[in-house]
Amino acid sequence: MRTIMLRLLVTTFVATIAWTSMTAQSLPTGEVQVGQSILEPTYNDLDGALSYVLTPIHAPVHPNGHNQAPFYLPVYPTAVANIIGTVNCQHQPADNCPDHGPEIAGLAKSVLPSVYGGGVWGHDHIMSAPPAGPPTGGDFNIIWLPVAVLFTSTSAASNHITTLSQLNAALAAGQVIEIPLVGAQFHCSVVPAAVYNQGTPLPPAPPLP
């Protein structure tokens, strides 16, 4: 009986590890191209569910104070890579969001070298996917203002933030700072996962030293 129970425990343990590994590896990461558009994964700020956004290449942007919503980019240092796992945009070993990843990593290292000086693991995206606005409380618009979210310590960065409520709590506790990237506004729309899965991954950019 003990032998049978031991085999069952070992089998269950191995199966759990395999499922966890498969789940982590199955998380989407990086930008892909479909036609004249770039697609990337993001998190819905209300519940942390995965979404996918499509951005037309070279689309003109005319932002004002009434037609834009925040698009948050929490940046994680390499020191917490084993805790956070796969992120929407990996910066190591090469940047799979080449049109903005290196700049975001460079910003993090220059602003908070005490946290990011040892390397940048990558960043996530958090936005309000439709339906948003009252009564859900989300903020959805036609133009998006990127907001870099930098952790003030490595221990704070060990918390994986995927919702607006988590982000607001971290901000109130002084665990993060926000840097609006004015001038980097862009258009994007939410699309099904199937569209992202049909895309061609963009050639990665080398990470910063």
Side-chain angles (χ1 to χ4, degrees):
M1 178 62 71
R2 290 181 179 178
T3 301
I4 294 175
M5 290 299 297
L6 180 60
R7 288 176 179 174
L8 287 173
L9 288 173
V10 170
T11 301
T12 302
F13 179 71
V14 171
T16 300
I17 292 178
W19 182 87
T20 302
S21 177
M22 180 182 68
T23 301
Q25 292 176 355
S26 66
L27 286 174
T29 180
E31 294 178 310
V32 302
Q33 184 169 351
V34 176
Q36 294 301 306
S37 298
I38 302 298
L39 294 88
E40 54 196 323
T42 182
Y43 288 103
N44 185 322
D45 71 354
L46 294 179
D47 57 10
L50 280 169
S51 299
Y52 301 86
V53 293
L54 178 151
T55 302
I57 299 174
H58 304 310
V61 179
H62 304 288
N64 57 53
H66 305 287
N67 69 344
Q68 59 185 358
F71 189 94
Y72 298 102
L73 298 90
V75 187
Y76 295 92
T78 305
V80 301
N82 291 334
I83 300 172
I84 301 303
T86 304
V87 290
N88 294 158
C89 288
Q90 300 279 154
H91 189 63
Q92 303 290 346
D95 205 302
N96 60 11
C97 288
D99 65 357
H100 67 280
E103 289 78 11
I104 296 299
L107 174 68
K109 295 184 74 170
S110 64
V111 174
L112 286 173
S114 60
V115 179
Y116 299 96
V120 176
W121 176 235
H123 68 269
D124 281 329
H125 309 128
I126 302 176
M127 63 173 288
S128 287
T136 63
D139 188 0
F140 183 85
N141 219 310
I142 60 173
I143 293 177
W144 298 90
L145 170 65
V147 179
V149 178
L150 306 183
F151 292 91
T152 56
S153 68
T154 302
S155 60
S158 299
N159 300 314
H160 195 191
I161 295 176
T162 60
T163 67
L164 184 58
S165 60
Q166 292 173 327
L167 177 58
N168 287 338
L171 186 63
Q175 297 176 343
V176 299
I177 62 172
E178 295 181 351
I179 304 177
L181 304 179
V182 179
Q185 291 94 331
F186 64 101
H187 285 289
C188 77
S189 57
V190 177
V191 297
V195 181
Y196 176 85
N197 293 334
Q198 293 171 0
T200 301
L202 296 183
L208 295 173

